[in-house]
Amino acid sequence: MQTFDVAIIGGGIAGLSLAYFLGPHRSCVVLERETALGYHSTGRSAAEFVLRYNAPEVCRLAAIAKDFFDGPPDGFSDIPLLKRRGGVMIATADKISRLEEVLCTELAFTPELERLDEEEALARLPILKPGYAAAAFYDPNFWDIEVENLLQGYAKGARRNGADIRERHAVVSASHDGQAWTIETSIGPVRAKTVVNAAGGWADPTAEIFGVRPLGIVPHRRTAITVDLPEGIDISDMPEINEIDEDFYMKPDAGRLLASPADATPCEPGDVQPEELDVAWAAHYVEEATTIPVRRATKSWAGMRSFSSDRLPVIGAAADHPDFFWLAGQGGYGILTSPALGALAASLLTGRPQPEGFRAKALNPEKFSPLRFKS
Ligand SMILES: Cc1cc2nc3c(=O)[nH]c(=O)nc-3n(C[C@H](O)[C@H](O)[C@H](O)COP(=O)(O)OP(=O)(O)OC[C@H]3O[C@@H](n4cnc5c(N)ncnc54)[C@H](O)[C@@H]3O)c2cc1C
């Protein structure tokens, strides 16, 4: 049996971005339980790229990732990976001071933010209900991500470099003989010197399979719906609508309006489904904040956003096993940070220099080390 240098568990954006950056330097196999890559969190995101409104470390990761999105290697994707959308932050009358506070803070980093009066807000957001937003500002720094192209770009590039990507391979048990791991999958055994845990919502249970201490990475359910637009309403170029405290957000999505109540309910890892109440909240916000009537949700779905206790990603070798590597806890920003985190994980695994950007952005990768979680 071939012994791979690295076995990556999880064929979502985390596992495939790592396979992509690792491919030229190490032999690697990706083990994915489902029949399709990206079936879980990766395929259920809101596809948003934003440079701000996250923890400072995540904003720096986004800035590093932006270079890749703007200029991926030749042949990576036949369409641009980002499309500028812009975003309008809105506040009801009781939250005007909160919006002012956010605007003042953000202006220090993003001078191009534009305060909007009601007329200007309605011009940017023609579906906004007149009188709903008492304060608003426009931020040009939101983009849509072409998630499927990104995922397939990683997978194609990884395969081109020899990575073996295996769907329908559920990892069920493992043992280490002092030299390498023998990983039992639903299809048969695989051997690898190092294992990478890129199992998304299953990061903790996956560690347990390998006898490694779990780190308290908890999946949180998030719901989204889409609703039809009345005839003649075209919002394809409309910016995102973001409630200032993230009570909800909405954005155009393939000819419809996508809305999320921005729920974050801790859940068991699994094929999570939307709860009726969260779907009802999403519909409620559409009816309350916009002029779009909701007869029914055309589509509703939920997925996992998995967080460590400090809500930063976990990247690095486990304290209790040098050949077990964490690539987990990407929360609500795993797609947009994937070029930075995939490249960082590959550099840590190969001992190669830090990816470009980390030093320039004064971002110390140790921030993400699993060693920060004491036993
Ligand atoms: C509604 C919603 C909106 C979001 N919006 C955004 C957004 O706008 N921008 C953004 O950047 N991020 C967003 N996110 C977050 C983003 O989707 C995640 O951070 C990202 O997809 C995590 O990727 P992953 O590869 O870690 O997880 P996943 O895509 O879940 O991949 C993990 C894979 O591991 C596999 N696996 C687990 N255990 C095993 C095992 N034992 N054997 C084999 N395979 C196994 C699973 O089958 C799964 O396919 C959103 C998430 C949700 C739910």
Side-chain angles (χ1 to χ4, degrees), residues 9-15 31-34 36-49 145 169-172 198-202 206 209 220 222-224 249 260 301-306 327-328 330-337:
I9 303 172
I13 206 82
L31 302 171
E32 167 53 50
R33 181 198 294 125
E34 305 293 348
L37 301 173
Y39 174 77
H40 287 287
S41 301
T42 298
R44 305 176 192 205
S45 86
E48 173 198 88
F49 182 95
I145 308 173
H169 279 64
V171 172
V172 288
W202 290 268
T206 298
I209 291 176
H220 289 66
R222 168 141 304 180
T223 309
Y249 60 87
S260 171
W301 68 96
M304 294 177 285
R305 297 155 76 247
S306 298
L327 177 53
Q330 295 90 336
Y333 42 79
I335 316 271
L336 73 93
T337 56

